[in-house]
Amino acid sequence: MDVKAFAKSQKLLTGETPLVEFERLRQDCCGEVAGAVSWSAQGAIQPDSAGKDAVWLHLEVKAKVPLACQRCLHPVGVDLWVEQDFRFVADEATALAQDDESEEDLLVLEESFDLLSLIEDELLMSLPLVPMHPTCLSEHVPTSSNEADSLGVKPNPFAVLASLKTQKH
Ligand SMILES: [Zn+2]
């Protein structure tokens, strides 16, 4: 994707991409990976804070991803919603120099730009650290670590500790 041409055209691009196509995100999922990621990308040429015309991208992404509940280790559908502005700069040095003073995220302008990869990056960053059911089904709450092993998911040790504490009360 030529992001500069896209920005100049001021186009709004929308899409639905199956969740399973996001390889990296899929690895963080638990159970059946179904559904789609819906996204929209709006390109624009707008001045930056110094008043110079720049290439911008406004991204909105919505998805529901099945993650391993850190209490019972069964899948919990977590709604993710990302809304982020990106401004493209000439090179990495400019990005580093301007990063602190910019509310928008800075990306280096390259010939080829992978929108889906950016969408995936944003989703990965928006994943909750400790996904959990509001209330777990009691039969799902593991009674021993063996049961957790048999489910084939790696429990977060701190969450397991927390759930053990809760069970004592
Ligand atoms: Zn749970």
Side-chain angles (χ1 to χ4, degrees):
M1 168 177 185
D2 181 344
V3 74
K4 199 169 181 180
F6 175 68
K8 274 190 183 150
S9 72
Q10 312 266 321
K11 265 188 193 148
L12 176 72
L13 201 64
T14 62
E16 297 258 330
T17 307
L19 190 54
V20 288
E21 287 183 20
F22 294 90
E23 290 282 335
R24 288 176 291 148
L25 186 60
R26 203 172 63 182
Q27 285 170 17
D28 282 336
C29 289
C30 168
E32 197 194 344
V33 180
V37 174
S38 47
W39 51 265
S40 71
Q42 169 78 57
I45 302 281
Q46 277 169 16
D48 60 16
S49 55
K52 231 179 123 204
D53 271 355
V55 174
W56 291 75
L57 182 74
H58 178 77
L59 187 66
E60 285 183 39
V61 185
K62 266 187 212 163
K64 191 179 190 113
V65 297
L67 301 174
C69 168
Q70 294 301 305
R71 189 160 44 207
C72 72
L73 305 176
H74 282 257
V76 52
V78 175
D79 287 308
L80 301 180
W81 183 66
V82 175
E83 189 176 7
Q84 184 67 49
D85 283 314
F86 298 92
R87 179 163 54 87
F88 289 82
V89 294
D91 48 49
E92 200 65 45
T94 314
L96 280 174
Q98 297 185 358
D99 190 40
D100 286 349
E101 65 203 49
S102 307
E103 273 179 42
E104 67 276 14
D105 277 2
L106 303 179
L107 296 173
V108 176
L109 195 58
E110 280 160 358
E111 289 271 309
S112 67
F113 166 71
D114 188 345
L115 180 61
L116 288 179
S117 178
L118 178 66
I119 289 170
E120 187 166 32
D121 287 344
E122 291 300 310
L123 286 174
L124 284 167
M125 274 190 278
S126 71
L127 289 177
L129 285 176
V130 185
M132 234 181 243
H133 293 112
T135 313
C136 296
L137 288 172
S138 56
E139 71 258 34
H140 285 169
V141 178
T143 47
S144 71
S145 56
N146 288 343
E147 189 175 333
D149 289 344
S150 71
L151 286 168
V153 276
K154 218 187 285 173
N156 174 325
F158 297 106
V160 170
L161 217 67
S163 84
L164 289 178
K165 268 187 197 152
T166 330
Q167 282 170 18
K168 273 184 199 153
H169 289 299

